[in-house]
Amino acid sequence: MAYSAEEREFFSFIRSNFFNKNDFSKKIKKNYEEKNEKLSKEHILNNASDIIFYLVKNSTNLWNKVVKDIESNWVELFLTESIKEQKKFPKIYKLFKNLHSKKIDPKNPEQTTVNVANHLGELFSHLVYSNKQFAKSKAGSLFEFHIQTLLNICKYKYDRQQELTKGEVLDFVFPSIKIAKKNPELCISAECQNTLKDRVRLTQGKLQKSKIKRCLFTATGLNAATQSDHLDLSENKITQLKELGITLVVFKKIKDGKFSDENSVISYEDFFNTLYPNMIEKTKSD
């Protein structure tokens, strides 16, 4: 669906009044600790999969509430802004002015309701679509933030958004990009994908000539991210990742239930308790 540059800016303005990524992420963490227990290294090492599942699932539920607020209150938000602020979106400002001057008939409330719905229908449909696209783009970064939160609590060393190969930005490099450039065979890189539909081909194409161990963190398989991600983990995808030397990191229930004999698939508990500590031992002298 195509919409104008002005509409794109307008939708971002509307969302900014309802959504702040840092506040959103903190709220999810706070919610977990209120309903479960305070996040500590010991708790993470024993329950990493359950914690990540909760954080991802809660992100989805909380975002749905934000969307409901946006789509219920966007008109009121715009109309209560100053005229100066409204005029930053001239076509949308004119749309509302035309509605007020031509479409409102106090003597015929039924027709007025129809007129308002027709007049704002296209803009509203664009807002709904924009929210869906925004949710897709933010889901991955929020998942990455959840992983980062657990890594920080465990005091695990990493660098974020770094290039080991020119033009290939990595979500995480363990324990650091400096060591990875010197001795890549001792280090780990990791990409974060909410589901395996996100950008599997992009991940598969990264670091094919590097000796670094490649991991792919995913929240897929138990419908935490979407209502259908239980269909993501096909044999074909697992085989593709395995052939490329990529270790898939999944929820413990997925590892134990579907891939107990597959070495290229590990759980989050395996990563936090075994894979990362073993790597740290190997890189201590660097």
Side-chain angles (χ1 to χ4, degrees):
M1 180 182 290
Y3 39 80
S4 67
E6 180 182 319
E7 286 179 331
R8 188 174 294 108
E9 291 180 15
F10 176 70
F11 301 148
S12 294
F13 163 74
I14 294 294
R15 273 193 297 271
S16 69
N17 284 271
F18 294 91
F19 176 83
N20 177 283
K21 181 183 173 182
N22 289 332
D23 291 344
F24 187 85
S25 302
K26 289 176 183 177
K27 188 173 183 179
I28 295 167
K29 178 176 178 288
K30 181 180 178 182
N31 182 274
Y32 178 88
E33 294 185 329
E34 287 175 349
K35 294 188 176 182
N36 297 277
E37 66 176 88
K38 185 176 177 60
L39 289 172
S40 64
K41 182 175 181 179
E42 181 181 3
H43 183 54
I44 291 168
L45 295 182
N46 290 327
N47 304 280
S49 292
D50 288 343
I51 295 167
I52 294 168
F53 177 88
Y54 184 97
L55 296 177
V56 172
K57 187 74 172 178
N58 204 30
S59 294
T60 302
N61 294 338
L62 189 57
W63 171 249
N64 288 338
K65 291 179 181 178
V66 171
V67 169
K68 184 177 180 180
D69 284 344
I70 293 171
E71 294 173 2
S72 298
N73 300 301
W74 69 281
V75 172
E76 181 180 1
L77 172 68
F78 180 66
L79 294 179
T80 53
E81 291 290 335
S82 66
I83 298 299
K84 181 180 178 182
E85 191 70 31
Q86 291 181 31
K87 286 185 174 179
K88 289 181 179 178
F89 312 99
K91 291 182 180 179
I92 294 171
Y93 175 75
K94 185 178 179 180
L95 182 74
F96 276 93
K97 293 299 288 184
N98 289 340
L99 174 63
H100 296 159
S101 64
K102 299 177 182 179
K103 305 292 183 180
I104 305 298
D105 183 359
K107 297 180 181 180
N108 192 340
E110 291 82 4
Q111 188 58 49
T112 294
T113 301
V114 172
N115 290 345
V116 170
N118 289 341
H119 201 72
L120 298 179
E122 183 178 15
L123 181 61
F124 179 70
S125 69
H126 289 179
L127 171 62
V128 171
Y129 180 77
S130 176
N131 285 338
K132 289 179 179 178
Q133 295 304 109
F134 180 83
K136 289 179 182 179
S137 68
K138 287 301 175 186
S141 62
L142 282 171
F143 176 49
E144 185 178 329
F145 182 88
H146 298 328
I147 297 294
Q148 184 181 359
T149 297
L150 302 194
L151 292 170
N152 289 345
I153 292 170
C154 291
K155 296 184 179 180
Y156 284 180
K157 297 177 182 179
Y158 63 87
D159 281 328
R160 286 187 63 242
Q161 300 298 311
Q162 296 290 326
E163 291 185 5
L164 192 56
T165 302
K166 188 174 181 180
E168 296 181 351
V169 179
L170 305 171
D171 291 340
F172 292 99
V173 178
F174 303 96
S176 72
I177 190 67
K178 180 180 179 181
I179 296 175
K181 286 182 176 180
K182 181 181 177 183
N183 293 308
E185 70 280 0
L186 302 179
C187 302
I188 302 170
S189 75
E191 294 290 287
C192 293
Q193 294 182 195
N194 227 22
T195 72
L196 296 191
K197 297 172 185 175
D198 293 343
R199 46 195 182 110
V200 164
R201 291 181 182 176
L202 180 59
T203 297
Q204 289 174 345
K206 289 185 177 181
L207 301 176
Q208 290 195 32
K209 296 181 180 180
S210 176
K211 294 180 180 179
I212 195 168
K213 182 173 182 60
R214 294 189 290 163
C215 288
L216 175 56
F217 294 147
T218 185
T220 203
L222 296 178
N223 293 348
T226 72
Q227 292 301 308
S228 61
D229 67 45
H230 62 283
L231 302 172
D232 265 4
L233 295 168
S234 66
E235 291 293 336
N236 184 47
K237 284 181 182 176
I238 301 302
T239 299
Q240 287 178 3
L241 293 171
K242 183 177 182 179
E243 289 176 349
L244 289 166
I246 297 173
T247 297
L248 186 64
V249 186
V250 300
F251 296 127
K252 191 173 187 297
K253 287 181 180 178
I254 297 294
K255 168 61 180 175
D256 293 346
K258 294 183 68 174
F259 303 108
S260 58
D261 297 324
E262 180 53 73
N263 293 331
S264 66
V265 179
I266 65 172
S267 69
Y268 284 102
E269 284 75 7
D270 294 330
F271 178 85
F272 278 91
N273 287 280
T274 304
L275 192 62
Y276 177 89
N278 288 347
M279 176 217 62
I280 285 297
E281 283 299 315
K282 294 175 182 176
T283 57
K284 272 185 176 180
S285 58
D286 286 279

